Amino acid sequence: MSETTKKKGIFRYHGIILNSWPFMLAIMVLLSVRLAIRNPGLVELYFSKGIYPFIAKGFSSASNLVTFSLWDFFWILTILLLLCGLILAAFKKIKSGWYVLRVAQLLAILYSFFYLSWGFNYFRPGIETRLGWERPKLNEQTFRLIMNSIINNTNNSYIPISPSEYSIIDNLIEESYYKNSTKLGINYPGGTRRPKKMVFSSYFAKSGISGYFGPFFNEVHWNSYLLPMEYPFLLAHEKAHQFGISNEAEANLAAFIICTTSDDQRLQYSGYFSMLHYFLKDAERMNDYIKKIDKRVIEDIQFRHQYYYSLQNKTLKKVQTAANDVYLKSNNIKMGVKNYNQVVSLVISWYHNSDTN
């Protein structure tokens, strides 16, 4: 065999390795995901409590250096590059096969990076198991008791909130997370959490999205169209995701605990007001409860409904809800978007276990 032939063989081998490694990595991650679903205890021990705190600290510290959203910038750049590649392929400036291969490689890398950087948290045990809670029997009497408590606390904690107070509220939420870290089983500080506005707040407001967590850069985002009364709860919810609480109902529970156990009335009102929304959804005879709610709270509820209804684009809302439903179900959240409202049973469990401890 000639030296030239040998070199061609080596180059071809290297080319195969370079082109195939993203797919091999994705396959290994896929197999790990299948294993993780069946072994939540291992996920908790080795990823959520082992590797992830270091990932969160490193990524969030880096992204905290800039004021804008790296997550949003990344997706804008990615979409632009994909469109440019598509145009070049259409005009035969690049080979279509080469473009398709690169897109497939990118998707494989993003899939792998999502789970390795944060996504494995979806497969950890439920919060009641992690915290060793006793599950109470759910019945109408218990529901009514907790519902009445939430209504009373919402009424008593009522206070207007201004956007000018957001930086103070952020600090108060951090203080509450520090105070409740053991109670919630989280690793505090676990990095840094600098709230960042969504780049496309208007679009996401029409889709019904008030905030999100960007796992690639460990960033917490909030929508600039968000109502001030909801800001503390939303911020606490997204920060829960940063702490590795991936389940939406559990993030809602964490936000409720963080807000309502704070000594600050603004956080308390946001926590109780936001949770009242979920309990009212589950209430069979709503009129029985509406009569007990303070007039000022009723006005906030009505204003909230009208405000978001005026922003909403029904088509975008349906598309976003369907996409989110598929996303959650594909990540071991069997109830999909209904998972958000499962916080009601978790809050009842929280009250029960708080009373028994």
Side-chain angles (χ1 to χ4, degrees):
M1 183 182 292
S2 67
E3 198 65 31
T4 303
T5 304
K6 284 183 180 180
K7 287 182 179 179
K8 285 183 178 179
I10 292 171
F11 286 141
R12 188 178 297 112
Y13 175 76
H14 286 167
I16 292 172
I17 295 297
L18 287 172
N19 285 325
S20 61
W21 74 262
F23 305 114
M24 291 188 290
L25 176 62
I27 290 170
M28 287 190 289
V29 171
L30 176 62
L31 294 175
S32 298
V33 166
R34 297 296 99 191
L35 181 66
I37 291 173
R38 292 190 289 270
N39 297 276
L42 294 179
V43 175
E44 180 73 5
L45 179 62
Y46 292 109
F47 185 80
S48 299
K49 293 291 188 182
I51 301 171
Y52 178 68
F54 294 100
I55 295 173
K57 183 178 180 180
F59 284 19
S60 65
S61 297
S63 64
N64 191 51
L65 298 175
V66 297
T67 57
F68 61 88
S69 169
L70 291 173
W71 173 263
D72 288 346
F73 179 78
F74 169 78
W75 283 113
I76 292 170
L77 182 61
T78 300
I79 292 170
L80 288 176
L81 288 174
L82 289 173
L83 289 175
C84 287
L86 189 61
I87 293 170
L88 290 172
F91 285 96
K92 301 187 184 301
K93 298 296 181 181
I94 58 174
K95 292 182 180 180
S96 298
W98 181 90
Y99 173 73
V100 171
L101 175 62
R102 295 296 175 256
V103 171
Q105 288 175 327
L106 175 63
L107 292 175
I109 292 170
L110 293 180
Y111 169 83
S112 302
F113 190 64
F114 168 75
Y115 284 107
L116 293 174
S117 63
W118 182 77
F120 273 108
N121 285 310
Y122 274 114
F123 313 118
R124 63 194 307 198
I127 193 169
E128 291 172 297
T129 301
R130 298 200 303 269
L131 301 181
W133 285 0
E134 176 187 90
R135 292 190 179 185
K137 291 182 180 179
L138 300 179
N139 52 51
E140 185 176 348
Q141 181 181 1
T142 303
F143 177 86
R144 283 182 170 274
L145 186 66
I146 306 296
M147 178 77 168
N148 287 329
S149 175
I150 288 176
I151 290 174
N152 290 334
N153 283 308
T154 308
N155 293 341
N156 295 333
S157 63
Y158 174 84
I159 187 174
I161 301 173
S162 168
S164 63
E165 302 167 315
Y166 282 2
S167 60
I168 298 172
I169 287 171
D170 180 30
N171 291 331
L172 290 169
I173 289 172
E174 285 295 321
E175 288 177 10
S176 190
Y177 262 114
Y178 173 72
K179 182 178 72 175
N180 287 287
S181 58
T182 302
K183 192 180 295 182
L184 288 171
I186 61 175
N187 187 322
Y188 191 92
T192 55
R193 287 156 294 281
R194 181 176 192 166
K196 297 181 179 182
K197 287 184 183 180
M198 298 178 185
V199 173
F200 300 106
S201 285
S202 177
Y203 166 80
F204 284 112
K206 292 176 182 178
S207 304
I209 299 176
S210 300
Y212 54 74
F213 172 70
F216 287 9
F217 302 98
N218 223 249
E219 294 174 306
V220 169
H221 299 82
W222 62 281
N223 194 312
S224 59
Y225 285 81
L226 183 70
L227 290 172
M229 69 188 79
E230 297 178 293
Y231 180 79
F233 184 87
L234 181 279
L235 194 57
H237 173 103
E238 299 307 332
K239 289 192 178 196
H241 287 321
Q242 193 274 339
F243 280 111
I245 300 176
S246 55
N247 183 289
E248 297 298 341
E250 293 181 10
N252 275 339
L253 173 68
F256 176 73
I257 293 171
I258 291 302
C259 288
T260 58
T261 59
S262 170
D263 294 328
D264 187 83
Q265 191 174 338
R266 291 164 295 191
L267 267 64
Q268 292 172 13
Y269 179 62
S270 183
Y272 286 118
F273 176 82
S274 299
M275 193 50 57
L276 181 59
H277 167 74
Y278 291 104
F279 270 78
L280 285 173
K281 271 189 173 182
D282 278 9
E284 293 183 3
R285 293 181 288 278
M286 192 179 294
N287 288 335
D288 294 352
Y289 299 106
I290 293 295
K291 297 172 184 177
K292 301 176 182 179
I293 301 174
D294 188 282
K295 181 182 177 181
R296 296 169 301 177
V297 178
I298 291 289
E299 289 173 353
D300 275 355
I301 292 173
Q302 291 173 337
F303 179 78
R304 177 188 180 278
H305 174 75
Q306 293 167 359
Y307 175 75
Y308 286 122
Y309 184 80
S310 66
L311 289 175
Q312 189 182 106
N313 179 295
K314 291 185 179 180
T315 302
L316 285 177
K317 174 69 173 177
K318 286 181 180 178
V319 171
Q320 185 278 323
T321 301
N324 195 28
D325 190 61
V326 171
Y327 165 76
L328 291 173
K329 287 178 179 177
S330 67
N331 283 294
N332 208 37
I333 307 296
K334 296 178 182 178
M335 294 294 290
V337 292
K338 293 180 180 179
N339 175 246
Y340 288 90
N341 224 71
Q342 286 181 300
V343 69
V344 170
S345 63
L346 289 180
V347 168
I348 292 173
S349 184
W350 153 254
Y351 272 96
H352 173 80
N353 285 276
S354 296
D355 291 340
T356 56
N357 290 333

